[in-house]
Amino acid sequence: MNTQVSFLDGTYTLIHIPLDLYHSLFQPIIRVLLPQSPAERASSELPDGDYEVLSSSKGHGFLNISITPIECSIVCHSTWAEKIFVPAIKNLPKGAARSVSTSTETYMVLSVISAGLDPAGRVMELTSPLALAGISLFFISTYYSDFILVPSKDRQNVTKALIAKGFELSDNQSDFTTPAPQGRKRASSAVSPPNTPPPANISELQTRAFELLKKRNVTPEVDSRLELVQCSGKETSQLSGEFSHSTHTGRGNGHGKQSWLSGLDTNLYLCIVSALASQPRFMSITLAHEDPPSLLIDKELLDIFGDSVVGDTDGVHIPIFLDLVNLPFEVTGIVCGVAGRLVQDMQMTASSELSYLSTARAGAVILPEEHSKRALETLKPLLSKEEGK
């Protein structure tokens, strides 16, 4: 099977919100999650084409909202960041506002669909050529797809790196495909500190990743009480019966067009808002234009969602966190390098599930419960100051 990689439309911004300011910025979080009213859009300074508003014809190109024990992290369209988050941040007390971070550069989003590869292999195939080209990245695994964020300024270098790896650029100049690799290669996507030449090979890349983490006193952390479930909203076909009578014509609208809201599972969105309002210990929501909503959530939240989600809700995954708050945005993709080393040292089988979540100032490697303890035992010596002495 082929791996398909596509550039999504638009540019995106990463936002780091300290947990103690989460409720202070809850309103803008909800504004980017839910559709804007026609009156609000009309009063906005933004043209519809730039605003990426939710509408009957187009949902979010890409949106990720993640609450973890380390931070709240947002990846949203750059225009949403500028027009919704920045004014809200400026309204905070000066000390509080300084603790919120937005990326100074914008990012592109690559959507990865790769049937036939195990979870770790999907990531390694894409991240290793980018990392070796000196391109920083963030990686987000979801229920249906994987997404890679790379700096917008590096688009040409990203294209060159993928072509050099054997990917073929489609006629629309936005999509790449390549045959699935014949053998699984161990790789990772840790990134180098700014202004450092790219690593010569995967081994050097991983060595730099762990050296930087040790230098910044980053240690792997696990909350034994936190169990995660990967699930999804329902496919559109599963919702057709629920919305057969929900067409929204609107007063004075003779075209009978459906609103954006009438085309999705309103129960699911009500559950999402309810869970977000509680400031959960862990919750990561990813909305992408062609996928149903994807959720990675604390298992204790399942009661809120009920039958609004589908997936293996009996399975348990454990996150291993790396707090990267003292590192610049450019190096947060280092979590993939750590995960790559895990795959290598633990000799994980192709059937092993291994997910990745890069947030603005942290990273998480997410493993089935039976692998998490061994993974932690593998990482701790590698990140110990005494290691190698």
Side-chain angles (χ1 to χ4, degrees), residues 18-27 276-279:
L19 292 178
D20 60 350
L21 294 178
Y22 174 77
H23 284 297
S24 298
L25 294 174
F26 183 68
Q27 194 263 359
L276 287 174
S278 70
Q279 189 172 340

Side-chain angles (χ1 to χ4, degrees), residues 126-204:
L126 269 297
T127 58
S128 57
L130 299 180
L132 289 173
I135 299 167
S136 62
L137 60 90
F138 294 78
F139 194 93
I140 298 174
S141 298
T142 74
Y143 192 82
Y144 291 100
S145 307
D146 298 313
F147 297 93
I148 300 175
L149 280 70
V150 293
S152 300
K153 63 179 176 60
D154 288 332
R155 180 170 183 139
Q156 185 175 0
N157 290 336
V158 169
T159 300
K160 289 180 179 178
L162 294 178
I163 291 175
K165 180 68 174 178
F167 286 79
E168 297 179 0
L169 186 60
S170 66
D171 292 339
N172 64 13
Q173 303 292 301
S174 293
D175 299 333
F176 297 84
T177 59
T178 187
Q182 297 302 309
R184 181 173 171 185
K185 296 182 179 180
R186 304 298 186 182
S188 69
S189 67
V191 294
S192 305
N195 303 319
T196 302
N201 51 50
I202 295 299
S203 177
E204 181 182 345

